[in-house]
Amino acid sequence: LLDAMIAKNAQGQASYRYSQMPAATRPQPRTYLEAVQHPEARPLRIAVNTWTPWSEAFDCDCDPQALAVLQRTAQIAETNGHRVEAFAPPEFPGYAEAFKAVWRASAAALPLSEEQLQSVEPLTAWLVRSGRELPVAQLADALGRLAAFERFIIDQYSPYDLVLTPALAMSPRPLGWYDQHDLSLIHI
């Protein structure tokens, strides 16, 4: 999502700092893997966290298995000589609402008739319907907020070479899980 939120100029070029650097001052192109495997590579500075911008709106507890894998990975990195530090960015108010607005607006583009919406998961139907009713001003505000989040998170993580987080906070949920107990929950 962050890459999708980067604003483009009239020539279609990304308008964030790296792309605005003159080509002669940009770092020499090397793959990330080549850079970290280089014999003269310094130990990596690695941030480890379970932070999520969703925590302002929801309790986001990590599954114990996900935490165990995260901790084990951090231990392996330390054993291999890297600097591992706990780091969590400060809260970013408004992220959850902005993301939900863009999510709903994206779903609104699905080419589903009202009749077809009867056949999809309740969450999908709600996203499509509510996205089609979303005021354009709310979408514009949400896009601006997520662009600000992109700049914020790049700045927060820029001192680190790598950020370790759980890939998922919990194991994949089965179809219908999000609304099986309380249909009001589909209105995220």
Side-chain angles (χ1 to χ4, degrees):
L1 177 64
L2 292 178
D3 289 342
M5 299 307 306
I6 295 173
K8 305 279 193 278
N9 63 21
Q11 290 76 37
Q13 298 167 324
S15 62
Y16 60 100
R17 285 177 301 213
Y18 180 84
S19 67
Q20 292 176 340
M21 294 171 68
T25 63
R26 290 184 191 164
Q28 291 301 312
R30 272 189 3 199
T31 68
Y32 183 77
L33 189 57
E34 288 172 341
V36 299
Q37 290 178 333
H38 192 273
E40 297 173 14
R42 61 180 166 70
L44 297 176
R45 184 175 181 202
I46 302 172
V48 178
N49 71 50
T50 58
W51 178 85
T52 173
W54 288 97
S55 62
E56 72 171 317
F58 301 101
D59 289 330
C60 299
D61 297 324
C62 256
D63 183 272
Q65 288 178 312
L67 286 176
V69 170
L70 180 67
Q71 291 166 350
R72 179 69 182 126
T73 304
Q75 289 170 347
I76 291 170
E78 280 185 318
T79 300
N80 285 311
H82 300 294
R83 286 182 28 207
V84 177
E85 306 169 22
F87 173 78
E91 293 301 317
F92 189 86
Y95 173 86
E97 288 306 313
F99 185 94
K100 289 187 291 184
V102 172
W103 192 25
R104 291 164 44 210
S106 298
L110 292 174
L112 298 173
S113 67
E114 191 59 38
E115 182 180 321
Q116 290 170 316
L117 287 174
Q118 305 301 317
S119 304
V120 299
E121 288 288 312
L123 176 59
T124 304
W126 175 81
L127 285 168
V128 170
R129 288 184 183 113
S130 65
R132 289 175 179 170
E133 296 171 1
L134 188 72
V136 70
Q138 187 177 349
L139 176 59
D141 182 60
L143 289 169
R145 191 77 188 131
L146 291 179
F149 176 76
E150 174 207 15
R151 292 185 299 274
F152 164 81
I153 206 68
I154 288 170
D155 287 342
Q156 291 295 310
Y157 286 138
S158 64
Y160 298 96
D161 299 305
L162 184 79
V163 179
L164 286 178
T165 65
L168 294 172
M170 56 185 165
S171 60
R173 307 289 91 182
L175 277 176
W177 180 86
Y178 292 99
D179 57 6
Q180 67 184 357
H181 299 295
D182 183 353
L183 289 178
S184 69
L185 292 178
I186 68 168
H187 304 286
I188 296 175

